[in-house]
Amino acid sequence: MIAVLDPKKEALLVQALRQHEDAGDRKAMALDCYQLGAFYQAQGQIDMAIHCIRRALVLCEALRDVQGVAMAYCRLGLLHEILGDFGQAEFLLQEARRRHDQIHDLRGLADDLGYIGFVHFQQGDHVAAESHYREALTLHQQLRNNGKQAEDWGNLGNLFSAQGDGVQARDAHHQALELYELAGDKQGMGNQYRSLARLAMQAEAHERAVELLETATIMHRDGQSALGEGLDQETLGIVHERQSRHEQAAACYQRAVELVEKTGHKRHLASVCGRLGSLRLRADDVDTAVELLEQAHVLAADVDDEMATARWGKRLADARLKTGAQVDQVRALYEESLSIYQRSSNAEGEAQVYVGLGNLAARGGESTQAVAMWTAATARFRQLGSEAQVRRVEGAIQNIWVGGRREVA
C-alpha cells in the first residue's frame, strides 16, 4: 500500500465530501468524488482513485450530467491504462468519446482521441495510433490549444521513433518542445528532452544524451512530476550502463525506483526494478537481485506485459539458479519465458532461455540435456548472426567436462 503523501489535503477533500453527503447535494458530491479521485491518482493510489471516479460516474449518470459522465469515463480510461489494462482503457475512453461527441465538446473529443491513440500505440497498433493522433492534432489546432498540440506532436514523435524514423521523430519532438515552451508546460518540455535523449542514444551520442536528460530532470522537478523524473533517471541509468559506468547506473536506477514507486505505475516500476535487479545480478549481489527481479516479474505479469514477464522471469531464473533454489522453481520460470518467446517468434529471447536451461542441466550433472539446450541456443544465435554468442556457447559444450566447467558464463 502506497502511503498518502499529503494527508492534510486528503482530509480536506474527504471533509468536503462528507458535508455534501449530509446536505444531500449530489452535484457537489460528484465533483468532490472526481477531485478526490484525481488526488489519489496523483498520490499513486490507483485503486482508490478508480473507486472515487466510479462513484462520481454513478452520481453524474443519476444527474444526467453528460459532461460529468464523459469526464469520469475519460479519467477511468487513463487509470486503467496506468494499470496496463488496455482493453478496458480503450472501452472507457470510447465511452468518453461518445459522450463528448453527443454534446459537441470538441476539446473533450480531441483529448479522448489522443488518449485512444496512446492505448493503440501501447498495444503495438501503429496505424490506428497515428490515425487517432492526427485526428486529435487537427482538432487541437482548430482550438488553438498549444499544450495539447504539443502532446500530440510528442506522441507522433514517439511513434516515428518506434518505427525507426529518426528524422521525423526529431522534427516532431522539436515541434512539441516549441509548443510546450509557449504553453509554459515544464512537465511536457521534460518529456520532449527525454525523447530527444533517446534519439541521441540511438545515434551513439551518449554524452549529448546525458546533457538532455539532465535538462529533462530539472524540468520535471520544477513541474513536480515524479513519474517524469523517474523515467529520466531510468534512461540516464541506461546511458551509464552502456558506457560501463555501473555504479552511476545503479544510483540512477535506485532513484528511479523510489520515484516511480510513488506513482503506482506498475509497468514502469517493473522496468526500473528489472533493470536494477539485472545490474545487481551482474555484480553478484544475488540476494538483492532476486528481490528486485521477483518484484519486476510480478508487476509485469499484473499488467499483462508478456515480453517484460518473459524478460524478468528469465533473469529471475538466472538469479535463483545462483542461489541454489529448487530446480523445479527455476525450470518453471525458464519454461514460462520460453513459451512467451516462442509465441512471439523472438529468437533472441529463445536463445537466452536455452542458455539458462543448459546451465540448469549442467548444474545438476545432466550433461546430455545441457548440450541439447546449448545446441538449441547456438542454432538461434546463428540465425541472428550473433557469432560471438555462438563461440561462447560452443566453448561451454566443448569444455563441459574440462576443469569442472559446466556452465555458460
Side-chain angles (χ1 to χ4, degrees), residues 166-242:
V167 174
Q168 276 208 85
R170 192 170 292 105
D171 289 345
H173 287 307
H174 278 296
Q175 181 71 35
L177 184 57
E178 185 177 322
L179 287 162
Y180 274 129
E181 287 171 346
L182 288 172
D185 185 338
K186 290 191 175 182
Q187 180 177 337
M189 291 164 65
N191 290 342
Q192 300 318 300
Y193 281 118
R194 184 176 64 250
S195 292
L196 289 167
R198 288 187 175 276
L199 290 173
M201 288 164 63
Q202 291 173 16
E204 302 292 326
H206 293 111
E207 296 314 311
R208 176 58 178 158
V210 170
E211 292 173 6
L212 288 163
L213 288 165
E214 288 172 348
T215 303
T217 298
I218 292 169
M219 293 294 170
H220 282 131
R221 280 180 187 161
D222 288 348
Q224 297 183 321
S225 172
L227 180 60
E229 188 181 346
L231 296 180
D232 298 338
Q233 289 300 306
E234 179 187 23
T235 310
L236 188 56
I238 295 170
V239 176
H240 287 314
E241 189 172 357
R242 288 182 181 179

Side-chain angles (χ1 to χ4, degrees), residues 72-382:
Y73 272 125
C74 183
R75 176 74 67 169
L76 284 169
L78 296 177
L79 288 165
H80 280 276
E81 183 277 319
I82 289 173
L83 294 176
D85 187 354
F86 298 127
Q88 183 70 358
E90 183 178 1
F91 169 78
L92 292 162
L93 289 168
Q94 291 288 6
E95 287 297 308
R97 176 184 181 180
R98 186 163 67 86
R99 302 313 198 283
H100 280 131
D101 194 34
Q102 178 184 336
I103 58 176
H104 307 293
D105 182 346
L106 292 185
R107 186 181 299 275
L109 182 60
D111 291 351
D112 298 337
L113 288 165
Y115 298 144
I116 292 168
F118 184 70
V119 170
H120 284 300
F121 175 70
Q122 293 290 80
Q123 295 175 295
D125 188 346
H126 290 180
V127 173
E130 183 171 359
S131 174
H132 283 85
Y133 287 158
R134 291 196 181 279
E135 276 191 83
L137 177 60
T138 298
L139 287 175
H140 284 135
Q141 286 171 335
Q142 290 175 18
L143 294 164
R144 298 184 180 182
N145 187 324
N146 287 333
K148 282 296 182 175
Q149 287 180 62
E151 186 176 303
D152 298 328
W153 277 115
N155 284 334
L156 284 165
N158 290 330
L159 176 66
F160 296 142
S161 180
Q163 294 173 335
D165 190 339
V167 174
Q168 276 208 85
R170 192 170 292 105
D171 289 345
H173 287 307
H174 278 296
Q175 181 71 35
L177 184 57
E178 185 177 322
L179 287 162
Y180 274 129
E181 287 171 346
L182 288 172
D185 185 338
K186 290 191 175 182
Q187 180 177 337
M189 291 164 65
N191 290 342
Q192 300 318 300
Y193 281 118
R194 184 176 64 250
S195 292
L196 289 167
R198 288 187 175 276
L199 290 173
M201 288 164 63
Q202 291 173 16
E204 302 292 326
H206 293 111
E207 296 314 311
R208 176 58 178 158
V210 170
E211 292 173 6
L212 288 163
L213 288 165
E214 288 172 348
T215 303
T217 298
I218 292 169
M219 293 294 170
H220 282 131
R221 280 180 187 161
D222 288 348
Q224 297 183 321
S225 172
L227 180 60
E229 188 181 346
L231 296 180
D232 298 338
Q233 289 300 306
E234 179 187 23
T235 310
L236 188 56
I238 295 170
V239 176
H240 287 314
E241 189 172 357
R242 288 182 181 179
Q243 297 296 99
S244 297
R245 299 189 286 257
H246 294 142
E247 287 187 12
Q248 289 167 277
C252 289
Y253 289 150
Q254 181 59 53
R255 180 60 179 151
V257 169
E258 293 164 2
L259 287 161
V260 176
E261 201 164 28
K262 296 176 183 177
T263 71
H265 209 304
K266 292 183 178 181
R267 182 162 42 86
H268 289 309
L269 185 57
S271 178
V272 293
C273 285
R275 290 185 188 280
L276 181 57
S278 298
L279 199 61
R280 298 319 306 158
L281 180 60
R282 288 195 289 277
D284 285 326
D285 182 1
V286 181
D287 290 339
T288 303
V290 167
E291 183 179 341
L292 287 161
L293 289 165
E294 281 179 343
Q295 188 176 0
H297 184 242
V298 169
L299 288 166
D302 281 350
V303 297
D304 293 324
D305 186 338
E306 283 205 325
M307 285 298 102
T309 300
R311 183 183 313 118
W312 306 132
K314 188 270 178 186
R315 301 271 174 86
L316 177 57
D318 292 342
R320 283 186 173 169
L321 183 60
K322 287 194 172 187
T323 67
Q326 290 185 4
V327 170
D328 289 347
Q329 290 181 348
V330 177
R331 182 180 290 111
L333 284 166
Y334 280 136
E335 289 178 349
E336 175 194 49
S337 296
L338 182 60
S339 177
I340 292 171
Y341 285 136
Q342 287 174 334
R343 286 200 302 273
S344 60
S345 301
N346 187 321
E348 170 69 23
E350 287 181 50
Q352 295 294 348
V353 175
Y354 278 125
V355 168
L357 284 167
N359 290 341
L360 179 64
R363 285 277 180 105
E366 301 175 47
S367 57
T368 302
Q369 178 69 3
V371 169
M373 294 296 99
W374 290 337
T375 301
T378 58
R380 282 152 183 81
F381 282 135
R382 277 202 182 88

